Amino acid sequence: MMNQPDYFGALEIPEPVETNAKGPSGKLPLSDEILKNWSSGDLFGLTQSVGMGFDPRRVLGDQYLILSTQGGVRNPDGTPVALGYHTGHWEVGLLVQAAAETICEHDGVPFAAFVSDPCDGRTQGTQGMFDSLPYRNDAAIVMRRLIRSLPRRKGVIGVATCDKGLPAMMMALAGCSDTANVLVPGGVTLPPTVGEDAGKVQTIGARYTHGEISLEEASLEGCRACGTPGGGCQFLGTAATSQVVAEALGMTVPHAALAPSGQPIWTKLAKDSAKASQRLVASGKTMQDLLTEDSLFNAMLIHAAVGGSTNLLLHIPAIAAAAGLPRPDAAAFRAVNQLVPRFVDCLPNGPVGHPTVQFFLAGGVPEVAWHLREAGLLKSDAMTVSGMTWNTLLDQWITSDRRSVCRDRLTQADGIDPDEVIIPPAEASRRGMTSTVCFPHGNLCPEGAVIKATSIDPSVIDADNVYRKRGPARVFTTERDAIAAIKGQTDWPISPGDVIVLIGRGPIGCGMEETYQITSALKHLKFGKEIALITDARFSGVSTGACIGHVGPEALAGGPIAKVRDGDLIEIEIDRVSLSGHVDLVSAVDAPETAAEEVLRVRLSHPKLGVEQAIPDDTRLWAALQNIGGGTWGGCIYDVDEILATLEAGVKARQGR
């Protein structure tokens, strides 16, 4: 006879159960005015607060919400009880605690709420990527609902670190503009003393398959790449770039982006941020006083100067929309990028590629902003949450002890000259460093596309700073098939000179997945620089090389990229100085004498093109709604007025009116 399951003791005799309790001691500090004029919700909120153990004598203090993306459960010594999805949200609870303690020290009442986030690194090449970009809008909605659900809040301290949680937090803080909001970037993890960075380590599978590393090397590098347990990755990908952009917008205290997670300099930022929110309350300032068109310009300018992730072309317009400001378009980004070359040497960009902690120690965002002010480019009258304009802040920064101590530490600890990380712009130009983002057009991307032109391998750039390539198309409709061909695991592997065309991976097809499996392989495989990639998907912030994404219209929206076939001749030209370029079908493999435009007019879409079968319904709904709101070139936002108008028109059409 088989043993009966015990259902984890559910059928055992229970321990004694209490049915009532004495409740908190003391009394609420109520008044006649409070009882007559406060809502029942406000009054019951006080009851809830003391029920959780808060001192009833202090319960009428100003309320502050500390909203974070914390994930996982840690023991007091930092060891894991339950893992988070990534290092970026693993330690932010320490920032929440530091901010809360500071609020209490100044007679405030801190509340904490949590909206955790996924890891784009963890979901690369998996179906989890179908939820990555859509998650941003969902999280921003939930965050805003949580903010509004604390009706007596005076300020919000938002703590976030990584690729989607941080842009969502910025959208939420921008969208709740009537409170004194401050953002706390969650910082960065350190690189290992010996070993690969967290970007390169994501290519161990591709390199092992090609025999470029051994099983032992892959196992070792895969273990040690995250040098410390907390913070975003060590490269200027989407997480780090979002931190930089948050500071550039004026949403953080000075020198906040990219601080090393878990260290005193990092924890103090949370304390300073709590004080900044309280000072804003005292001065009557709110987020709407800080986020302006000048702030957005500074964010785009500093994004260009540091060589930031192309994903911010999706996030900056979304933050602008949340703040009620005009959304910058491709023309606006192009104009800003034409003003300034990249002058920060940070991973994944070269020529050396310093980790983000070295960028922080070299002076971080304030140092970059100072150079831009000296060049007459920064909108230096824009305000920041510190209560200072950029002008006042930078006047103090350039002679500050903090600047000198950090820069000296970089020299002493790592032997790095700070001016080799944040290079004076004139010297950067002399060295041939170019602007960050280019927006090519052409018969395959009539609405445009995006390439991080600054990070194309210099050895494939012509003397006039133009990247030119002609090659046969290799068309794929899934990332899985493309990466198999790159690894040489198919009958027709990718060869040097090929142009990979990956279609059906935009918002409609699969939620606009990142394709870092492909771009990282092309960066770190020996022959990768001889291959180009064109796709309607997007790229990880750590992607480099001749990788052209955001192709519009996407294939499933009728874009001509849907009609490319294996063997078609593709021509790419990217001018890294003028930031112009084109991506064109030159001739068809089956009709070489027919004009390319005629081929694209009469050809049907690729027979394998279709919506990803595993796409979640949540993502399908997101894709439809963001498409109405302007699509990828509009920041993938929900434009409520446009959506309502479209729904109304659709209802009338279906009713035959």
Side-chain angles (χ1 to χ4, degrees):
M1 181 176 177
M2 295 181 63
N3 293 331
Q4 295 296 317
D6 66 2
Y7 298 101
F8 305 101
L11 302 181
E12 294 177 355
I13 299 173
E15 298 294 326
V17 177
E18 301 291 338
T19 61
N20 56 72
K22 182 180 179 180
S25 59
K27 59 182 180 180
L28 295 177
L30 301 177
S31 67
D32 176 76
E33 187 275 334
I34 289 174
L35 286 170
K36 286 182 176 178
N37 295 300
W38 282 27
S39 71
S40 64
D42 289 334
L43 291 168
F44 183 57
L46 302 180
T47 301
Q48 292 274 21
S49 295
V50 298
M52 289 181 277
F54 202 77
D55 187 341
R57 295 170 296 181
R58 296 184 46 228
V59 80
L60 292 182
D62 288 344
Q63 296 181 3
Y64 292 83
L65 173 61
I66 309 168
L67 185 60
S68 82
T69 57
Q70 178 181 332
V73 180
R74 293 158 40 95
N75 285 307
D77 65 357
T79 56
V81 177
L83 292 170
Y85 284 17
H86 55 91
T87 61
H89 62 214
W90 178 244
E91 291 186 332
V92 297
L94 300 175
L95 296 175
V96 173
Q97 182 176 342
E101 290 170 351
T102 303
I103 289 168
C104 286
E105 290 170 3
H106 295 81
D107 300 321
V109 181
F111 289 77
F114 309 94
V115 183
S116 195
D117 53 356
C119 176
D120 283 359
R122 187 177 290 273
T123 58
Q124 290 294 338
T126 76
Q127 293 181 5
M129 187 52 72
F130 304 162
D131 288 292
S132 171
L133 184 55
Y135 166 87
R136 185 205 64 182
N137 286 8
D138 296 344
I141 290 169
V142 172
M143 289 171 177
R144 286 193 294 264
R145 291 193 186 280
L146 284 170
I147 292 170
R148 294 191 296 262
S149 296
L150 189 65
R152 300 193 69 84
R153 72 202 179 276
K154 291 293 184 70
V156 183
I157 296 99
V159 186
T161 308
C162 282
D163 294 28
K164 300 303 172 299
L166 181 47
M169 186 69 74
M170 287 191 275
M171 291 167 64
L173 298 184
C176 294
S177 59
D178 59 342
T179 47
N181 304 336
V182 178
L183 191 135
V184 186
V188 297
T189 187
L190 298 184
T193 304
V194 177
E196 298 179 353
D197 66 82
K200 184 175 183 179
V201 80
Q202 294 182 52
T203 69
I204 54 176
R207 286 182 288 147
Y208 173 75
T209 302
H210 278 278
E212 294 186 8
I213 57 173
S214 67
L215 178 59
E216 175 66 18
E217 289 170 324
S219 302
L220 180 60
E221 297 297 351
C223 183
R224 65 187 178 186
C226 293
T228 49
C233 292
Q234 311 108 336
F235 46 80
L236 201 64
T238 306
T241 306
S242 295
Q243 294 187 36
V244 168
V245 164
E247 187 169 346
L249 285 165
M251 298 178 76
T252 80
V253 297
H255 200 213
L258 314 180
S261 183
Q263 299 189 38
I265 195 171
W266 170 82
T267 309
K268 189 175 184 299
L269 291 171
K271 299 176 181 179
D272 292 342
S273 299
K275 294 175 184 176
S277 181
Q278 291 179 311
R279 284 195 297 268
L280 288 172
V281 170
S283 67
K285 298 289 186 182
T286 65
M287 192 94 276
Q288 63 189 357
D289 298 309
L290 304 174
L291 288 183
T292 64
E293 292 189 46
D294 281 356
S295 304
L296 286 171
F297 177 87
N298 287 341
M300 292 189 289
L301 185 69
I302 291 176
H303 172 269
V306 304
S309 163
T310 55
N311 276 322
L312 272 294
L313 274 64
L314 300 171
H315 301 322
I316 291 176
I319 296 162
L325 298 170
R327 286 178 275 173
D329 57 13
F333 278 101
R334 181 186 296 110
V336 168
N337 274 265
Q338 287 172 333
L339 293 175
V340 60
R342 173 177 64 93
F343 58 87
V344 171
D345 184 350
C346 188
L347 287 168
N349 308 314
V352 174
H354 299 279
T356 42
V357 68
Q358 293 183 350
F359 176 24
F360 173 79
L361 290 174
V365 172
E367 192 76 10
V368 172
W370 182 81
H371 282 294
L372 292 169
R373 187 183 69 164
E374 292 299 291
L377 296 174
L378 190 76
K379 303 290 186 181
S380 52
D381 288 329
M383 289 291 298
T384 72
V385 296
S386 66
M388 295 184 285
T389 64
W390 276 104
N391 258 334
T392 304
L393 190 160
L394 294 176
D395 286 343
Q396 295 183 17
W397 166 259
I398 203 64
T399 59
S400 67
D401 290 340
R402 183 184 182 94
R403 177 179 185 266
S404 60
V405 167
C406 285
R407 287 168 66 89
D408 287 348
R409 177 60 180 162
L410 177 59
T411 302
Q412 294 164 8
D414 294 348
I416 301 294
D417 179 353
D419 286 343
E420 290 297 313
V421 181
I422 302 176
I423 305 167
E427 175 62 16
S429 293
R430 190 192 68 78
R431 295 182 187 185
M433 295 172 70
T434 59
S435 300
T436 296
V437 184
C438 179
F439 299 87
H441 286 73
N443 62 27
L444 292 182
C445 49
E447 290 182 357
V450 175
I451 183 169
K452 196 174 182 181
T454 191
S455 62
I456 304 174
D457 191 302
S459 67
V460 296
I461 302 293
D462 292 340
D464 57 356
N465 236 324
V466 177
Y467 171 78
R468 296 178 176 89
K469 183 172 185 61
R470 274 196 176 205
R474 292 294 313 280
V475 183
F476 301 93
T477 57
T478 71
E479 187 189 24
R480 297 182 298 277
D481 291 343
I483 195 66
I486 290 171
K487 288 182 175 181
Q489 296 173 330
T490 64
D491 293 337
W492 188 8
I494 294 295
S495 301
D498 287 345
V499 177
I500 298 171
V501 181
L502 178 63
I503 61 176
R505 313 318 292 175
I508 296 172
C510 66
M512 202 178 188
E513 66 186 355
E514 284 187 349
T515 56
Y516 185 57
Q517 263 206 126
I518 296 174
T519 59
S520 62
L522 296 182
K523 176 180 174 63
H524 292 290
L525 290 173
K526 293 177 181 178
F527 62 87
K529 66 183 180 181
E530 305 297 336
I531 296 166
L533 169 65
I534 305 169
T535 181
D536 51 8
R538 61 191 176 91
F539 301 132
S540 165
V542 73
S543 295
T544 59
C547 302
I548 298 166
H550 298 223
V551 165
E554 64 176 295
L556 284 163
I561 193 175
K563 300 183 178 183
V564 180
R565 297 291 192 272
D566 284 327
D568 286 350
L569 185 62
I570 307 294
E571 180 178 81
I572 302 169
E573 185 171 297
I574 305 295
D575 188 321
R576 301 202 305 171
V577 177
S578 69
L579 302 187
S580 60
H582 65 261
V583 181
D584 289 315
L585 172 69
V586 176
S587 65
V589 65
D590 54 353
E593 303 302 321
T594 304
E597 286 69 22
E598 177 64 13
V599 171
L600 293 174
R601 188 184 70 81
V602 301
R603 237 187 207 172
L604 299 177
S605 294
H606 195 283
K608 292 185 178 180
L609 178 66
V611 175
E612 173 70 46
Q613 291 185 352
I615 188 172
D617 285 345
D618 306 316
T619 299
R620 291 176 58 213
L621 179 60
W622 165 84
L625 293 177
Q626 65 84 36
N627 193 48
I628 294 171
T632 57
W633 295 104
C636 293
I637 66 159
Y638 298 153
D639 186 324
V640 175
D641 291 336
E642 284 295 321
I643 291 169
L644 291 177
T646 302
L647 286 172
E648 182 179 0
V651 169
K652 289 180 179 179
R654 295 189 70 172
Q655 291 175 343
R657 287 190 254 162

